[in-house]
Amino acid sequence: FSTASRVMLLGMLVPLAGIMLFAHEGLKLWLDPAFAQASSPVLRWLAVGVLINSLALLPYALLQGKGRPDLTGKLHLLELPFYALIIWVFIRRYGVVGAAASWSLRVAIDAVALYVLGMVYVPEIRRVQLKTVMLTAAAALFLAALALPQGPWLKAVIALGTAVGAGGWMLRDVMVQFRGGGSREPGGVI
């Protein structure tokens, strides 16, 4: 679980940080300035949601593997009326940006609920799951901060720093595993 969460977080964070930093520029290059102006907030909301949802797959798979698919099914049925209400309000108020924001909110709530269920039904790796939740929240806040206005040089420095930092973290993990310094506790170390 620990290794999967690290790989998933690092594998998703770098490309999504690039999307957050260069959403407007990329859409402007690909399509046109008017479309980029209207669509870059949508792309940014979806990027944050994709990060959260990708890490929510871990407790989802954990619960499935523990033979409790009923829990995830019941959770999604419970979420449905609330999501329908949220998406209706957000779309009416904010349009397509509201649709993207409501989906990101739904996957965030779903992720928290799945991790809580994972901690209850697989308590032996509760600590690793809690650390993953905190790292996911920090990464989502980092991505959200990247949506703030920045100059092109600052964007380039942030993109390079994110890539180098993630690469360094992955290299550190490889070296620890190569030297046999991995954790002996269930779930490993995150």
Side-chain angles (χ1 to χ4, degrees):
F1 192 91
S2 177
T3 302
S5 62
R6 279 195 313 271
V7 168
M8 184 76 76
L9 180 63
L10 293 173
M12 297 299 289
L13 186 62
V14 174
L16 291 173
I19 288 172
M20 292 298 285
L21 285 168
F22 302 107
H24 182 76
E25 292 83 357
L27 288 170
K28 189 166 80 173
L29 253 168
W30 181 34
L31 298 166
D32 66 53
F35 187 85
Q37 187 66 31
S39 299
S40 57
V42 174
L43 186 55
R44 287 182 173 124
W45 271 111
L46 291 175
V48 172
V50 165
L51 174 75
I52 294 167
N53 199 40
S54 65
L55 285 147
L57 289 173
L58 299 172
Y60 178 86
L62 186 66
L63 291 167
Q64 300 289 320
K66 277 297 210 180
R68 295 305 309 263
D70 61 305
L71 294 174
T72 57
K74 290 173 185 173
L75 173 64
H76 290 140
L77 284 174
L78 180 67
E79 290 173 354
L80 183 61
F82 297 107
Y83 180 52
L85 177 64
I86 290 169
I87 196 168
W88 181 73
V89 169
F90 278 40
I91 288 175
R92 284 188 58 120
R93 190 167 276 178
Y94 306 108
V96 71
V97 175
S102 65
W103 179 77
S104 293
L105 177 61
R106 187 204 62 84
V107 297
I109 292 167
D110 186 56
V112 169
L114 286 168
Y115 274 100
V116 167
L117 288 171
M119 287 179 216
V120 169
Y121 288 94
V122 191
E124 57 270 17
I125 61 168
R126 181 178 293 148
R127 203 171 90 215
V128 174
Q129 292 181 73
L130 187 56
K131 287 179 183 178
T132 303
V133 169
M134 298 214 274
L135 281 172
T136 303
L141 288 173
F142 171 71
L143 285 182
L146 294 180
L148 298 172
Q150 297 131 1
W153 285 106
L154 182 57
K155 286 183 179 187
V157 168
I158 292 170
L160 181 63
T162 303
V164 168
W169 191 7
M170 288 178 121
L171 182 61
R172 178 199 147 275
D173 280 353
V174 167
M175 295 304 292
V176 167
Q177 293 299 322
F178 182 70
R179 291 182 185 151
S183 174
R184 305 289 181 242
E185 69 180 87
V189 174
I190 189 159

